[in-house]
Amino acid sequence: MEKKLSIQDIAALTGLSTYTLRYYENIGLLSGIERDAKGYRVYSMEDISCIEFVIKLRDTDMPISQIKEFSDLRRQGNSTVIERKELLEVHQANVIKQMKELGDNLIKINEKINHYKKLAEQA
Amino acid sequence: MEKKLSIQDIAALTGLSTYTLRYYENIGLLSGIERDAKGYRVYSMEDISCIEFVIKLRDTDMPISQIKEFSDLRRQGNSTVIERKELLEVHQANVIKQMKELGDNLIKINEKINHYKKLAEQA
DNA sequence: ATACTCCTTATAGCGCACTCTAAAGCAAGT
DNA sequence: ACTTGCTTTAGAGTGCGCTATAAGGAGTAT
């Protein structure tokens, strides 16, 4: 008794537009999505978690080309688990670096705000 | 005895290309940059700190349109200090939010890595 | 039958932030 | 005098990640 979800449903659930959902499928970020008798896309629960993970990769600034690599590995099955792990570990390091750099820049922005506060007090 | 720096020097110092330096000036992110007798750009130390702060804003994903707003305020002088402070405070909140979201996504990526590690061990 | 609504595909267009090219000027070196 | 090497400008082109359009098909409502 699996729920069958339309592209509209998925758009509402994931926050991606229907355009983007088709685009992601076309370029190979998503695959194995069923079609009904009319040729309409039908999404499973597993598809949703797949999409949500793609969104997490994207939101941590993984380029689409690399998300595609990851998706291609997944499509190839269990033999690629180690490769997928390694790909994610590289990305993990990038995200940590990104956060550190954001933190450093945030400090500088804070300093500038404090500088302006002092200037404003003097006036 | 101020050092006078060429666009090449600034490119080397800031990591921006000479293209980007001219582009930033054209669109109003940078202003008040001197010219020598030949019409060549000559950068001051203050220009450098200005450029470096622009880079920090850019690297924290402030859109160029907003960096321009900030630069325009600066050009208007001391009367805009409070406005500049407020603009940066809004951005500060965005950066904090960004870091939080990165952290949340990082946790999910870590979970996936651990999942793959377990799968790999079983095999 | 006709209109409406949802979907499909292929392909074109957009916004952002650069990045490069073309044409020209000036100064030093050979 | 001429080449090299730096600069200038205006404007064209690039890459990414969507976003929109056009043309058409199937199912439901009137």
Side-chain angles (χ1 to χ4, degrees):
Chain A
M1 221 182 146
E2 271 259 317
K3 263 197 217 130
K4 293 301 175 187
L5 295 150
S6 73
I7 195 163
Q8 290 290 352
D9 296 332
I10 301 300
L13 276 168
T14 62
L16 297 180
S17 70
T18 56
Y19 296 138
T20 304
L21 283 165
R22 292 194 196 96
Y23 166 67
Y24 279 4
E25 195 179 338
N26 285 339
I27 63 174
L29 265 45
L30 273 27
S31 61
I33 286 155
E34 257 186 273
R35 301 300 180 110
D36 68 9
K38 296 180 216 165
Y40 290 13
R41 288 169 180 81
V42 176
Y43 295 81
S44 71
M45 291 303 159
E46 210 202 308
D47 293 332
I48 296 175
S49 18
C50 194
I51 293 165
E52 279 171 347
F53 195 66
V54 164
I55 292 172
K56 286 181 206 320
L57 294 179
R58 182 198 66 174
D59 284 354
T60 49
D61 296 309
M62 185 184 280
I64 278 187
S65 59
Q66 212 172 326
I67 303 177
K68 179 164 165 47
E69 268 181 59
F70 179 80
S71 304
D72 288 346
L73 287 173
R74 173 146 48 189
R75 199 164 21 264
Q76 286 167 50
N78 280 340
S79 64
T80 64
V81 162
I82 290 170
E83 275 177 273
R84 275 181 267 165
K85 193 201 72 177
E86 286 167 357
L87 191 155
L88 290 187
E89 279 169 346
V90 171
H91 184 57
Q92 182 186 45
N94 289 340
V95 176
I96 290 167
K97 193 179 154 204
Q98 230 185 111
M99 286 181 69
K100 196 199 159 309
E101 285 169 1
L102 272 185
D104 291 348
N105 286 325
L106 185 57
I107 289 169
K108 299 294 180 181
I109 291 164
N110 290 346
E111 283 171 9
K112 186 72 91 177
I113 289 171
N114 286 331
H115 175 65
Y116 285 150
K117 272 186 186 163
K118 271 180 214 154
L119 282 184
E121 275 165 29
Q122 280 174 6
Chain B
M1 221 179 140
E2 271 257 318
K3 265 199 216 126
K4 293 300 174 187
L5 295 151
S6 74
I7 194 162
Q8 291 289 352
D9 296 331
I10 301 302
L13 277 168
T14 61
L16 297 180
S17 70
T18 56
Y19 297 138
T20 304
L21 282 166
R22 293 193 195 96
Y23 166 67
Y24 279 4
E25 195 179 337
N26 285 339
I27 62 174
L29 264 45
L30 271 28
S31 60
I33 287 156
E34 256 186 275
R35 301 301 180 107
D36 69 8
K38 296 180 215 165
Y40 290 13
R41 288 170 180 81
V42 176
Y43 295 81
S44 70
M45 292 302 160
E46 211 202 308
D47 292 332
I48 296 175
S49 19
C50 192
I51 293 165
E52 281 172 347
F53 195 66
V54 165
I55 292 172
K56 286 180 206 322
L57 294 179
R58 182 199 65 174
D59 285 353
T60 49
D61 295 308
M62 185 185 279
I64 279 188
S65 59
Q66 212 171 325
I67 303 178
K68 179 163 166 46
E69 268 181 59
F70 179 79
S71 305
D72 287 347
L73 287 173
R74 173 146 48 188
R75 198 164 21 265
Q76 286 167 51
N78 280 338
S79 64
T80 65
V81 162
I82 290 171
E83 273 177 274
R84 276 182 266 164
K85 194 200 72 176
E86 285 167 357
L87 192 154
L88 290 187
E89 279 170 347
V90 170
H91 184 56
Q92 181 186 45
N94 288 341
V95 177
I96 290 167
K97 192 179 155 202
Q98 233 186 108
M99 287 181 69
K100 198 201 158 307
E101 286 169 1
L102 272 184
D104 291 347
N105 286 324
L106 185 58
I107 289 170
K108 299 295 179 179
I109 291 164
N110 290 345
E111 283 171 8
K112 185 74 89 176
I113 289 171
N114 287 332
H115 174 65
Y116 285 149
K117 272 186 185 161
K118 271 180 214 155
L119 283 183
E121 275 165 30
Q122 281 175 6

